[in-house]
């Protein structure tokens, strides 16, 4: 009876129960928002997804330390981690909106409306957004509000019926049957709306017409034979050592770091590249025109500025493309220009020194192929930039559609205002691939200490290994196609008892010795010697 301790406990328990059900109504409405929005985005050819737009905006607005933390924690899984984080935050926010709607309608619906406005802003301010790209957000919010209000209404009816004490239920005999009806109606809405949202949302993501069409167009591409072919990979470029990185990185294993939360789907038949700005002759070129030019093959190692010492954000591949310097020669840049600002279809920009792109000794290309096949979508199909010797954030624009000849004093690439240096030459680095740190071996074992070393465009002429604080010993160095690629190395060590620190350093072709000074990736690349520990017993 009212006032009795057991009654107050029951009321508190009911309060918690209603709160959980109200939160459930908000989460289901959130799922309905995503499903409705994704279906409309699908009908618009894959454009206007609020989930992708908000995630992309989060990447753009995140301070440098957040980006560094995500890459250091999740490496190439940073985008998947961002989606998970967004899902958790969305669940928390929508659950709160559901509770608010149940207690003080229509404020829960207002929360969804505010969220829709933010999504709309994120979508319509993205590079290349169209006039209809906001439709998915608007319709998604409308669907969510309908689901939220209907479920909240059913929940309030269920609560009122139980509070009137008219219903017997399975757990509380003596209460009236109207509460059971309201309960079933609420749960039916929760199950139906939740299941429908899941099926529809996932299906919309899977059946992406734009992505399907682009994939079909990529499969139809037949790359021409290179007019200038790369030197064949020498047999001595690959050492017979278990655990060492292969000289040529397979496409599927090549690292991916970019700002595109959703991989752009581009029909190569509609792709255009525009070169303009401080030039005498503006140039526009299509995909078929590019393929018809005398293409060149170049093996080049690329790395991300976020790569930690000993990290894996690096790979070596055979690229097929057309020299950028030849296109720039046709455009005729002005004498006072010193930078090319390249732009991706998703709005990313990179500022590359003009003199590097014009240098006859730098094989900077507009790449259309990677390891003998058209560029994979995730690596920039249909066209990307490859510039040996520079970190990707200032040169390796994927899905490139525009190159503006300008000045460093007048323009900045995407990462420069976020605290990274405007020019990003790759540092002299080396890495131990095997043995892994913490490995245990037997005393007297002949241990192959091996890895890779690189400084693209300059080249590596020696690699040295040190055990504990002993002398540096020259390692066996493998061959390479050119200075633009990494080189494998191996040092065979007879293990002695104890735990040992194994370190490596490289010497560049110009005689520079890799620095021991430890610096983080920001603002222009990590430095220091890579070390591992090995225990011999």
């Amino acid at each position: 009876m009212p006032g009795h301790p057991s009654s107050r406990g029951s009321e508190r328990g009911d309060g918690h129960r209603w709160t959980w059900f109200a939160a459930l109504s908000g989460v289901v409405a959130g799922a309905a928002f995503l499903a409705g929005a994704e279906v409309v985005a699908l009908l618009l050819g894959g454009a206007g997804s609020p989930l992708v737009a908000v995630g992309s905006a989060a990447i753009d607005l995140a301070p440098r330390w957040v980006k560094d933390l995500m890459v250091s924690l999740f490496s190439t899984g940073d985008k998947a981690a961002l989606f998970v984080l967004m899902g958790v935050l969305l669940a928390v926010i929508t659950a709160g909106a559901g509770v608010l709607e149940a207690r003080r309608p229509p404020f829960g619906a207002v929360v969804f409306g505010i969220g829709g406005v933010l999504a709309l802003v994120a979508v319509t301010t993205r590079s290349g957004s169209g006039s209809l790209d906001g439709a998915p957000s608007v319709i998604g919010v409308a669907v969510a509000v309908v689901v939220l209000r209907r479920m909240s209404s059913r929940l309030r009816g269920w609560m009122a019926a139980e509070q009137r004490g008219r219903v017997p239920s399975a757990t509380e005999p003596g209460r009236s049957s109207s509460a059971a009806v309201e309960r079933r109606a609420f749960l039916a809405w929760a199950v139906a709306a939740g299941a429908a949202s899941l099926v529809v949302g996932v299906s919309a993501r899977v059946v992406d017409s734009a992505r399907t069409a682009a994939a079909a167009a990529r499969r139809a591409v037949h790359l021409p034979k290179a007019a200038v072919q790369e030197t064949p990979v020498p047999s001595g470029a690959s050492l017979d050592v278990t655990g060492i990185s292969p000289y040529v990185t397979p496409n599927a294993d090549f690292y991916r770091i970019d700002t595109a939360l959703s991989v752009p789907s581009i029909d190569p038949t509609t792709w255009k590249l525009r070169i303009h700005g401080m030039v005498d002759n503006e140039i526009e070129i299509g995909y078929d025109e590019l393929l018809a030019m005398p293409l060149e093959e170049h093996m080049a190692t690329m790395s991300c500025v976020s790569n930690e010492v000993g990290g894996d954000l690096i790979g070596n591949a055979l690229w097929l493309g057309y020299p950028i310097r030849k296109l720039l020669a046709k455009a005729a840049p002005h004498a006072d220009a010193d930078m090319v600002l390249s732009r991706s279809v998703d709005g990313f920009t990179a500022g590359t020194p003009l003199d590097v792109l014009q240098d006859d000794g730098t094989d900077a290309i507009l790449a259309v192929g990677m390891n003998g096949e058209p560029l994979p979508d995730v690596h920039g199909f249909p066209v990307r930039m490859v510039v040996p010797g520079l970190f990707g954030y200032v040169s390796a624009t994927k899905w490139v559609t525009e190159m503006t000849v300008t000045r460093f004093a007048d323009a900045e690439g995407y990462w420069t205002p976020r605290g990274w240096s405007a020019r990003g030459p790759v540092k002299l680095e080396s890495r131990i691939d095997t043995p892994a740190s913490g490995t245990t071996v037997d005393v007297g074992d002949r241990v192959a200490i091996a890895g890779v070393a690189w400084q693209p465009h300059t080249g590596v002429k020696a690699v040295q290994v040190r055990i504990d604080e002993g002398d540096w010993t020259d390692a066996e160095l493998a061959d390479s196609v050119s200075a633009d690629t990494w080189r494998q190395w191996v040092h065979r060590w007879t293990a002695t008892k104890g735990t040992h620190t194994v370190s490596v350093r490289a010497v560049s072709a110009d005689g520079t010795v890799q620095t021991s000074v430890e610096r983080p990736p920001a603002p222009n690349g990590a430095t220091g010697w890579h070390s591992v520990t090995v225990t011999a017993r």
Side-chain angles (χ1 to χ4, degrees), residues 190-254:
V191 172
S197 298
L198 180 63
V199 172
V200 171
V202 172
S203 298
R205 275 279 110 191
V206 172
V207 186
D208 187 330
S209 58
R211 199 169 305 281
T212 301
R218 179 183 178 274
R219 289 193 296 271
V221 170
H222 296 286
L223 295 178
K225 185 176 180 179
V228 177
Q229 296 183 339
E230 182 59 279
T231 302
V233 177
S235 59
S238 297
L239 298 173
D240 185 17
V241 177
T242 301
I244 198 171
S245 300
Y247 181 67
V248 178
T249 308
N251 291 356
D253 298 334
F254 208 93

Side-chain angles (χ1 to χ4, degrees), residues 108-175:
V110 170
V111 171
F112 272 90
I114 294 172
V117 170
L118 294 176
L120 187 63
V121 170
V123 168
T124 55
T125 55
R126 295 302 294 169
S127 175
S129 62
S131 57
L132 293 178
D133 286 0
S137 298
V138 173
I139 295 177
V141 167
V143 172
V145 169
V146 169
V147 171
L148 178 67
R149 302 210 70 181
R150 182 57 62 92
M151 290 186 65
S152 296
S153 174
R154 292 295 188 184
L155 180 61
R156 286 193 295 272
W158 178 13
M159 291 170 60
E162 287 216 1
Q163 288 169 359
R164 287 195 297 269
R166 296 182 311 193
V167 195
S169 77
T171 58
E172 295 173 286
R175 294 190 173 181

Side-chain angles (χ1 to χ4, degrees), residues 267-349:
D267 184 346
T269 63
T270 62
W271 176 87
K272 295 285 185 183
L273 172 70
R274 181 187 177 209
I275 301 177
H276 64 111
M278 298 174 64
V279 298
D280 290 339
N281 308 307
E282 289 196 8
I283 293 176
E284 187 172 85
I285 185 173
Y287 189 67
D288 287 341
E289 293 175 86
L290 186 60
L291 293 187
M293 292 179 170
L295 304 184
E296 300 182 2
E297 284 182 336
H298 295 291
M299 187 81 73
T301 295
M302 298 181 62
S303 58
C304 178
V305 71
S306 296
N307 201 31
E308 301 278 356
V309 172
D312 60 358
L313 301 181
I314 181 171
N316 186 50
L318 178 64
W319 308 93
L320 174 69
Y322 188 71
I324 295 174
R325 67 178 180 278
K326 293 185 178 180
L327 285 177
L328 288 174
K330 295 177 182 179
H334 296 173
D336 55 342
D338 63 6
M339 187 252 270
V340 172
L341 187 72
S342 54
R343 182 177 298 274
S344 166
V345 71
D346 72 333
F348 170 83
T349 55

Side-chain angles (χ1 to χ4, degrees), residues 21-186:
F21 282 126
L24 174 63
S25 68
V27 172
V28 171
F33 163 74
L34 292 178
E38 290 301 322
V39 167
V40 178
L42 173 64
L43 296 176
L44 293 176
S49 167
L51 184 64
V52 172
V54 171
S56 298
I59 292 175
D60 291 347
L61 297 174
R64 189 181 73 189
W65 68 268
V66 173
K67 183 259 186 187
D68 293 345
L69 179 63
M70 292 292 286
V71 173
S72 65
L73 290 176
F74 304 106
S75 187
T76 55
D78 58 338
K79 293 176 179 60
L82 177 60
F83 272 122
V84 171
L85 178 60
M86 288 174 58
V88 171
L89 290 176
L90 183 64
V92 171
I93 293 171
T94 56
V99 173
L100 190 59
E101 181 68 20
R103 294 178 177 176
R104 298 192 64 186
F107 288 105
V110 170
V111 171
F112 272 90
I114 294 172
V117 170
L118 294 176
L120 187 63
V121 170
V123 168
T124 55
T125 55
R126 295 302 294 169
S127 175
S129 62
S131 57
L132 293 178
D133 286 0
S137 298
V138 173
I139 295 177
V141 167
V143 172
V145 169
V146 169
V147 171
L148 178 67
R149 302 210 70 181
R150 182 57 62 92
M151 290 186 65
S152 296
S153 174
R154 292 295 188 184
L155 180 61
R156 286 193 295 272
W158 178 13
M159 291 170 60
E162 287 216 1
Q163 288 169 359
R164 287 195 297 269
R166 296 182 311 193
V167 195
S169 77
T171 58
E172 295 173 286
R175 294 190 173 181
S176 110
S177 62
S178 66
V181 172
E182 295 290 347
R183 181 182 68 233
R184 285 195 295 270
F186 172 82

